[in-house]
Amino acid sequence: MDTVRKVGWTLFVIMVTVVSLFRPSFAYAEGTESTLPSGISTDDIGQQIEEFIEEHRDTTVGMAVEVFDTQSVLYENYAGYANRENGIVVTEDTVFEWGSATKLLVWVSVMQLYEQGKLAPDQDIAIYLPEGFLTNLRYDTPVTMTHLMNHTAGFQELYADLFVKEEGAILPLGEALQSHEPAQIYEPGTVTAYSNWGVALAGYIVERVSGMEFSAYVRSHIFEPLGMQHSGVAADLSDNEWVKEQRNNLACYTAAGKLIPDCFYYITLYPAGMCTSTLSDFAVFAKALLQEDCPLFEQKDTWKQLFTPTDFYGDSQVPLNCHGFWVLPFANLTYGHGGNTAGCSSYLLLDLTKQVGAVVMTNQSGEQVYNTDMMPLIFGEFQADRYLPEQKTPKGMYRSARVVRKGPFKAMSLSFQTIEDEEEMWAAGNQDGIEKVCYAYGDLLKVPTATFGLEMGLFFLWVAAVGFSVISLFVKWIRILVRKIRHKEKPQIVLGKWSTGSAFLQLIALGLLVAVIIQVSGYVLYRSYQWMFAGFGLVALGMGLTAAYGIWKIKKYPSTKKRKAYNICVVGLLLVTVVNICYWNLFVFWMV
């Protein structure tokens, strides 16, 4: 009987422990019942979120959420594991990475300097930078701080060295910016193309204007005034040793809950996404921004200016961006920013009408359940149709503006989509002849039919070239094997060595492409695989010479129609790969 009781008690303890992880203690302000934008009372929001967590328990690893108004914490919740393998649960001392929500620190810093008369949002940023600092500007239209805030400065995406494992790869911010300056592919003010590099550039301007390193400025002018003692923003988190130590206790997972081994990375352009803190500090920052009498500014007018629209959805008058804060339509328009790193996600949202806000943090990369799906419990249902009713769905093929169109990563822009009728907020626009569909965080640009046909045609021809080469080599090896089995001598084939060499060149090009993709997705330092792009150039040169030699051979030596057709295919597919390497800039090893 004692054994039965012990087993029963053990099972009870296990059950209580598991439940406590996913139905943890939470707090809200008692005696202050009011209604959230969603219509749920503040007294009921805890139960609603608890039930939501329970529904998504299978894919939840660790999360923390706080709902607040200008006076108090309405609800606070810690759930799951900071490190599931070691049994470390999420608590008030757990730190998470803000990801791109870090950008709000940049924009607050800019507005502080604007308030002091040291920085003008619509002034050419060149006056704040060393002479000749920007070398890739293509247009005469000057880039302004407002362009950087709206992500409309025209810079293409940057893939190389955003996340790095080697602490020694961290450079002073100005050097990091110059070593990876992206091309400017859009005229400033015409296209919203999300840019981490552009935000880091704004952070560097804060350094130049204030005379302080960005991390030191943020600590002095944001963290310390708000009492954010558990926050770090330096690229190596050296500005807060406690945070750096706590970050070692955090494991990270995919959105589906699979462990991501060794998920800590340094962010070289750290103003764009390095901030790491507790939920409490994240909420303190957000709560400060919710108040018109914001402690981060000396004047109320600066706060009002911060939330004044600087960009709009397409050709509409619906605000898209307010000095770096993205605008989303729930029951009311909300203002904020989401964030993702290699292993964490976050969200900060503010309803200025109801003066209610929320912050969410998880240790799951690309997490959407809490960062997106839970938000209607607090802010009400997403209401795009309320602000942009009866839009006609644009036809044709579109591509994200956040791409590379110059340099060796151009091939990553081979992605097209159509515009679907969906709940997500969007609006069509046409600026300076650019047809686009505007979403929060970036535009989709209409792709001309000729460009779509060309790029898809090149892609499928390259696939055909590789497939043809693989089949050709396979057939050759089968024939050799059969002859060996039958003890027959190999018949002389005049162009056999040439065609076999051509096939191997195709496979080398494919191998280089796969290797580059693996290096980029693994956040390997660019200098470690930069040579591969030079390799593409050498392969293209070799293919061109091989094709020319093949044409000469075909003309000089007679052959059967079947053999001639085969050789012509080999030459044609060699040239197809050469054109692909050139069109996709895969040989341009000197760019990023």
Side-chain angles (χ1 to χ4, degrees):
M1 194 60 145
D2 289 339
T3 303
V4 172
R5 271 202 293 273
K6 287 180 180 179
V7 172
W9 177 251
T10 302
L11 291 174
F12 174 75
V13 170
I14 292 172
M15 180 180 69
V16 169
T17 301
V18 172
V19 170
S20 69
L21 290 174
F22 289 94
R23 298 198 59 138
S25 59
F26 59 88
Y28 58 88
E30 294 184 5
T32 57
E33 181 177 356
S34 61
T35 303
L36 294 172
S38 62
I40 298 174
S41 74
T42 54
D43 281 352
D44 292 335
I45 189 61
Q47 179 181 348
Q48 294 289 327
I49 293 180
E50 289 287 302
E51 292 175 355
F52 186 87
I53 294 172
E54 186 63 27
E55 289 174 8
H56 297 91
R57 178 174 168 179
D58 290 344
T59 57
T60 300
V61 181
M63 65 85 67
V65 59
E66 184 172 313
V67 184
F68 50 85
D69 59 19
T70 58
Q71 302 299 319
S72 60
V73 175
L74 302 176
Y75 174 72
E76 186 179 80
N77 188 341
Y78 299 90
Y81 293 94
N83 187 315
R84 186 174 56 195
E85 286 66 32
N86 292 336
I88 302 174
V89 299
V90 176
T91 69
E92 63 272 13
D93 289 331
T94 302
V95 298
F96 298 91
E97 296 167 347
W98 293 22
S100 286
T102 304
K103 294 174 172 63
L104 299 182
L105 297 173
V106 179
W107 308 137
V108 169
S109 301
V110 167
M111 295 304 291
Q112 289 177 335
L113 295 172
Y114 160 75
E115 183 179 63
Q116 297 167 26
K118 297 179 180 179
L119 193 156
D122 295 321
Q123 178 68 52
D124 187 342
I125 61 172
I127 67 170
Y128 305 116
L129 297 169
E131 185 175 355
F133 186 84
L134 299 176
T135 61
N136 289 342
L137 297 183
R138 173 184 173 189
Y139 297 92
D140 294 331
T141 304
V143 175
T144 67
M145 182 59 71
T146 301
H147 289 142
L148 297 181
M149 289 175 152
N150 292 340
H151 295 265
T152 57
F155 300 122
Q156 69 177 10
E157 178 63 302
L158 179 67
Y159 292 109
D161 295 353
L162 182 60
F163 296 104
V164 300
K165 294 298 295 182
E166 300 175 19
E167 188 172 350
I170 300 173
L171 300 172
L173 187 53
E175 292 181 30
L177 287 162
Q178 285 192 301
S179 65
H180 293 89
E181 182 182 354
Q184 186 185 46
I185 58 175
Y186 310 113
E187 184 174 359
T190 61
V191 171
T192 303
Y194 192 88
S195 175
N196 287 304
W197 191 90
V199 177
L201 178 62
Y204 180 60
I205 291 172
V206 170
E207 287 192 352
R208 296 277 299 173
V209 173
S210 69
M212 304 172 67
E213 286 189 2
F214 179 76
S215 61
Y217 179 92
V218 169
R219 177 151 301 282
S220 177
H221 293 83
I222 298 177
F223 290 170
E224 290 180 357
L226 295 180
M228 296 171 63
Q229 300 178 4
H230 301 124
S231 301
V233 72
D236 58 357
L237 297 181
S238 59
D239 58 328
N240 193 313
E241 289 299 327
W242 183 88
V243 170
K244 189 172 185 178
E245 182 64 28
Q246 288 296 110
R247 178 60 184 81
N248 293 331
N249 296 326
L250 187 74
C252 298
Y253 305 83
T254 66
K258 183 178 179 181
L259 178 68
I260 303 173
D262 191 21
C263 71
F264 178 75
Y265 289 88
Y266 301 104
I267 298 178
T268 54
L269 302 177
Y270 71 95
M274 191 66 203
C275 190
T276 305
S277 82
T278 59
L279 173 72
S280 178
D281 271 19
F282 194 29
V284 165
F285 174 68
K287 191 183 297 183
L289 294 169
L290 191 61
Q291 308 171 49
E292 183 176 351
D293 191 12
C294 180
L296 295 171
F297 305 120
E298 295 178 2
Q299 304 170 21
K300 291 183 179 180
D301 285 346
T302 307
W303 180 87
K304 293 178 180 178
Q305 183 72 14
L306 175 63
F307 291 107
T308 299
T310 49
D311 202 3
F312 300 87
Y313 280 90
D315 294 332
S316 77
Q317 292 302 306
V318 179
L320 166 69
N321 197 302
C322 296
H323 294 89
F325 285 71
W326 298 103
V327 184
L328 295 169
F330 289 90
N332 301 305
L333 292 179
T334 62
Y335 306 78
H337 212 297
N340 276 289
T341 63
C344 289
S345 61
S346 71
Y347 215 159
L348 182 157
L349 277 177
L350 306 173
D351 183 333
L352 303 181
T353 303
K354 289 281 287 187
Q355 290 192 302
V356 171
V359 289
V360 181
M361 311 179 89
T362 83
N363 57 345
Q364 295 177 251
S365 179
E367 201 282 329
Q368 293 292 311
V369 170
Y370 298 107
N371 287 282
T372 300
D373 299 344
M374 189 176 67
M375 291 299 104
L377 292 178
I378 304 164
F379 297 102
E381 293 299 324
F382 205 78
Q383 299 186 31
D385 291 344
R386 171 183 169 189
Y387 297 93
L388 292 168
E390 300 179 358
Q391 291 194 98
K392 186 177 180 180
T393 304
K395 305 297 182 183
M397 301 303 298
Y398 286 77
R399 171 164 42 208
S400 172
R402 188 182 178 182
V403 293
V404 171
R405 295 300 291 171
K406 291 185 176 181
F409 297 104
K410 181 181 176 182
M412 293 188 178
S413 69
L414 187 64
S415 176
F416 305 98
Q417 66 184 86
T418 57
I419 307 301
E420 305 292 341
D421 289 320
E422 54 187 348
E423 295 181 0
E424 191 173 356
M425 183 81 153
W426 62 268
N430 192 318
Q431 190 166 1
D432 296 338
I434 300 174
E435 292 185 63
K436 60 183 182 178
V437 174
C438 177
Y439 291 85
Y441 295 93
D443 292 344
L444 296 180
L445 306 183
K446 189 169 186 178
V447 179
T449 302
T451 301
F452 173 73
L454 172 65
E455 294 188 357
M456 292 304 295
L458 284 174
F459 171 73
F460 283 115
L461 283 174
W462 196 359
V463 171
V466 173
F468 182 88
S469 299
V470 170
I471 293 172
S472 176
L473 286 176
F474 181 75
V475 170
K476 286 177 181 290
W477 288 334
I478 291 296
R479 287 180 175 176
I480 292 172
L481 183 60
V482 170
R483 291 190 193 99
K484 187 174 182 179
I485 292 173
R486 294 179 177 179
H487 303 288
K488 289 187 175 181
E489 293 184 2
K490 180 180 176 182
Q492 184 178 3
I493 303 176
V494 176
L495 299 182
K497 293 182 180 179
W498 164 77
S499 60
T500 300
S502 300
F504 275 115
L505 285 173
Q506 295 281 11
L507 295 183
I508 290 172
L510 176 64
L512 286 171
L513 184 62
V514 172
V516 165
I517 293 172
I518 292 173
Q519 299 299 300
V520 174
S521 61
Y523 305 120
V524 177
L525 285 174
Y526 180 67
R527 64 171 180 260
S528 299
Y529 60 90
Q530 188 175 12
W531 64 270
M532 294 182 183
F533 296 118
F536 274 112
L538 294 175
V539 169
L541 178 62
M543 285 183 166
L545 294 174
T546 302
Y549 176 79
I551 292 172
W552 175 77
K553 280 290 218 178
I554 290 170
K555 290 181 177 180
K556 183 174 182 180
Y557 295 96
S559 61
T560 64
K561 290 183 178 180
K562 184 177 179 180
R563 169 58 62 178
K564 186 175 183 180
Y566 171 80
N567 292 332
I568 290 173
C569 283
V570 171
V571 170
L573 293 177
L574 280 171
L575 296 177
V576 161
T577 301
V578 171
V579 171
N580 268 282
I581 290 173
C582 293
Y583 181 84
W584 298 113
N585 295 174
L586 288 169
F587 65 95
V588 186
F589 63 90
W590 56 90
M591 287 184 66
V592 294

